[in-house]
Amino acid sequence: MERPSESSVGISYFLNSGSFVSAVLKHRFTDFIVHEVDESKNIITLKSLTIPEHFRNKEEETCSDQNEIEKILQESKSEIIKLLGEKEWEGISSFVTTTIQNDTKATSTYLLQPEEDKQKRTQTHQLMKSHLHFLESSTAENAKKEKTIQLQFKLSKSERKKAKKD
């Protein structure tokens, strides 16, 4: 197969002059097979599909100690205010404190003020994940169909089982 000319594929000029690198475009799935290697250059193979215990425990990790939660909340205060403002900080703080005191983690949710800016919602989700790891955040719509973020407590397996019974 003859190589097509630049002009036949729509290239009319180059930004720089000099030597060019030729390449072959890959198009089959076998062109993209990757083998992971360790530091000794041995090919690593997958031996199990089971999640290692130390990862499984982190996945289920929740905060249930009121003092620990309040400490994390206070440590995160400045970051939350910087992104969401004082009013949202007070709302989140009140939601967390009231929910723990009333032992309603399984049923309580909190909606932040509507936010149409997707980038700010993404930053808010990231903030919750990195600072308030005991809360789950999800994008939701309020009664007026405005985009907002809903917060609720992450529950351990035992808390989820208890909530199902109630």
Side-chain angles (χ1 to χ4, degrees):
M1 183 170 150
E2 192 175 315
R3 182 178 161 194
S5 69
E6 283 88 2
S7 60
S8 71
V9 293
I11 300 173
S12 56
Y13 63 91
F14 295 94
L15 291 176
N16 60 6
S17 60
S19 61
F20 297 98
V21 177
S22 62
V24 176
L25 294 178
K26 303 292 185 170
H27 58 89
R28 297 184 317 258
F29 76 91
T30 55
D31 292 331
F32 299 95
I33 294 176
V34 176
H35 295 285
E36 299 293 334
V37 293
D38 63 15
E39 292 171 353
S40 303
K41 299 187 179 173
N42 298 315
I43 294 176
I44 299 171
T45 57
L46 185 63
K47 296 179 179 149
S48 170
L49 296 176
T50 333
I51 300 171
E53 189 66 36
H54 62 280
F55 285 115
R56 220 175 308 134
N57 289 340
K58 279 190 176 182
E59 205 173 85
E60 287 298 321
E61 194 176 287
T62 61
C63 255
S64 54
D65 179 44
Q66 183 174 351
N67 293 331
E68 183 183 351
I69 290 173
E70 288 175 2
K71 180 182 174 208
I72 292 168
L73 193 60
Q74 288 303 316
E75 289 170 352
S76 307
K77 180 177 180 177
S78 65
E79 289 294 319
I80 294 170
I81 290 173
K82 189 165 108 179
L83 180 64
L84 302 173
E86 185 79 34
K87 185 176 179 183
E88 285 290 26
W89 154 253
E90 290 170 2
I92 293 168
S93 179
S94 175
F95 163 69
V96 169
T97 305
T98 304
T99 302
I100 291 170
Q101 287 173 350
N102 296 337
D103 195 25
T104 56
K105 284 172 35 174
T107 56
S108 296
T109 59
Y110 179 75
L111 290 179
L112 299 179
Q113 293 297 311
E115 180 59 64
E116 290 302 318
D117 182 0
K118 183 176 173 122
Q119 185 175 1
K120 187 166 181 188
R121 288 196 312 268
T122 300
Q123 291 172 335
T124 303
H125 289 300
Q126 291 168 343
L127 177 74
M128 294 302 146
K129 194 172 192 174
S130 64
H131 287 70
L132 303 180
H133 63 275
F134 53 89
L135 292 177
E136 291 178 334
S137 66
S138 58
T139 300
E141 286 186 348
N142 64 14
K144 296 177 182 177
K145 302 288 185 202
E146 299 168 310
K147 298 260 186 204
T148 184
I149 292 180
Q150 176 177 298
L151 301 178
Q152 60 191 71
F153 275 83
K154 286 183 182 176
L155 301 175
S156 66
K157 276 186 180 178
S158 60
E159 288 171 323
R160 285 192 297 268
K161 284 180 183 177
K162 183 182 176 223
K164 284 182 182 178
K165 288 179 184 176
D166 294 343

